[in-house]
């Protein structure tokens, strides 16, 4: 099982660890593309703070993020699972997973990134600010930039089991599963069901969508579930108490779409 996650916009500070070792990151086939993004980001943030804030979409109050990017090569690095914070990662709770679930998380979770392309939760990275929606002056839109290198690296990373794709749209644009891999890929949408005047109404949730996905991944990890494909995932989620509706792929080589229905949002 491979679980594709979006990063968080906010990130924890790097702490006092050793600096980045790019050669130590997972998916070594992305090394050249990572180096190019890192070089341009550091140069931009070192040379022109106002321009960097404009490119990165940062307010005056976030100008400290520019200085942070400028020092990425020397900044302390720590596991990506500790760097990424926010609603999904709070619900996932990597830090207090039982040992078996933690080992499964380290094998299964892959976090997409505008700067790194994708990293495992064990990869040591510094805190940074660079979303997939950024358009760098030299390399252009990062979502488009990453498509070619990710197309080379991801099929091997996907292995031969389920690909559970929980990325947001901006990060999903960097790699779209194709062919046989797509056929064993499942995407998940979280819908809030309410009964109004005797009629059930459903709406897409945003903030709570992230929390539900984080809890869902945690529950799968704690249960030791390793679904071989989308059908097995549906069974595993239902066994864990989730209400799941399925729109199976209409054609071979197309991802499955799953709706997880919640009646309470928290």
């Amino acid at each position: 099982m491979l679980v594709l996650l979006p990063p968080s916009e906010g990130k924890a500070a790097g702490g006092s660890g050793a600096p980045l070792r790019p050669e130590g990151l997972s998916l070594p086939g992305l090394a050249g593309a990572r180096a190019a993004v890192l070089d341009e980001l550091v140069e931009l943030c070192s040379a022109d703070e106002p321009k960097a804030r404009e490119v990165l979409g940062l307010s005056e109050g976030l100008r400290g993020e520019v200085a942070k990017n400028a020092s990425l090569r020397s900044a302390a690095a720590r596991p990506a699972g500790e760097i990424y914070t926010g609603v999904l990662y709070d619900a996932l709770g990597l830090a207090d997973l039982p040992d078996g679930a933690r080992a499964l998380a380290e094998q299964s979770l892959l976090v997409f990134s505008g700067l790194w392309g994708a990293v495992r939760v064990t990869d040591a990275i510094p805190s940074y600010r660079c979303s997939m929606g950024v358009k760098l002056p030299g390399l252009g839109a990062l979502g488009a930039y990453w498509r070619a290198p990710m197309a080379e690296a991801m099929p091997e990373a996907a292995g031969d089991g389920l690909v559970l794709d929980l990325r947001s749209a901006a990060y999903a644009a960097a790699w779209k599963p194709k062919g046989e891999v797509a056929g064993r890929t499942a995407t998940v949408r979280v819908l809030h069901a309410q009964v109004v005047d005797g009629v059930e109404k459903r709406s897409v949730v945003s903030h709570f969508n992230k929390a539900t996905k984080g809890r869902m991944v945690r529950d799968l990890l704690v249960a030791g579930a390793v679904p071989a494909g989308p059908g097995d995932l549906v069974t595993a989620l239902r066994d864990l108490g989730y209400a799941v509706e399925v729109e199976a792929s209409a054609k071979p080589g197309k991802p499955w779409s799953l709706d997880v229905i919640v009646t309470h949002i928290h």
Side-chain angles (χ1 to χ4, degrees):
M1 176 175 70
L2 182 68
V3 182
L4 310 181
L5 298 175
S8 57
E9 191 72 16
K11 298 170 183 71
S16 57
L20 173 72
R21 293 180 58 253
E23 69 277 9
L25 298 179
S26 302
L27 279 68
L30 300 178
R34 286 170 176 151
V37 179
L38 180 62
D39 286 348
E40 182 168 356
L41 184 63
V42 169
E43 181 179 356
L44 171 68
C45 292
S46 300
D48 190 338
E49 182 195 293
K51 179 64 175 179
R53 285 199 289 110
E54 177 186 350
V55 169
L56 297 173
L58 301 176
S59 66
E60 172 69 22
L62 292 173
R63 62 189 305 171
E65 299 291 281
V66 175
K68 182 165 68 175
N69 282 348
S71 62
L72 282 171
R73 290 195 181 90
S74 59
R78 58 197 276 202
E82 299 175 14
I83 290 289
Y84 294 117
T85 60
V87 176
L88 188 153
Y89 291 91
D90 286 346
L92 175 55
L94 285 170
D96 62 359
L97 283 173
D99 289 346
R102 176 74 187 195
L104 185 56
E106 292 174 355
Q107 298 168 9
S108 303
L109 305 185
L110 194 66
V111 185
F112 271 59
S113 162
L115 174 53
W116 313 114
V119 292
R120 301 280 184 184
V121 293
T122 51
D123 286 339
I125 58 173
S127 183
Y128 68 97
R129 190 66 170 248
C130 183
S131 73
M132 193 66 80
V134 163
K135 184 177 181 180
L136 292 175
L139 297 177
L142 291 177
Y145 170 80
W146 279 110
R147 285 174 195 156
M150 296 300 285
E152 292 290 328
M154 283 303 299
E156 180 179 356
D160 57 6
L162 169 73
V163 177
L164 175 53
D165 190 352
L166 303 179
R167 297 171 297 166
S168 55
Y171 291 89
W175 180 66
K176 295 184 179 181
K178 298 183 183 299
E180 183 270 337
V181 177
R184 49 186 167 86
T185 296
T187 62
V188 173
R189 180 175 63 165
V190 179
L191 298 178
H192 181 213
Q194 294 177 289
V195 177
V196 180
D197 296 330
V199 178
E200 183 182 84
K201 296 185 177 181
R202 294 179 177 180
S203 59
V204 177
V205 294
S206 54
H207 176 88
F208 300 102
N209 164 64
K210 297 176 183 177
T212 299
K213 288 179 177 178
R215 286 191 291 270
M216 182 180 70
V217 173
R218 181 183 177 89
D219 288 344
L220 288 168
L221 295 171
V222 171
V226 187
D232 292 337
L233 172 65
V234 172
T235 300
L237 289 175
R238 288 174 175 166
D239 287 347
L240 289 167
Y242 288 88
V244 183
E245 295 181 358
V246 185
E247 179 185 340
S249 54
K251 300 178 182 178
K254 297 291 183 182
W256 288 36
S257 298
L258 276 55
D259 286 342
V260 172
I261 314 301
V262 297
T263 54
H264 301 284
I265 52 178
H266 58 91

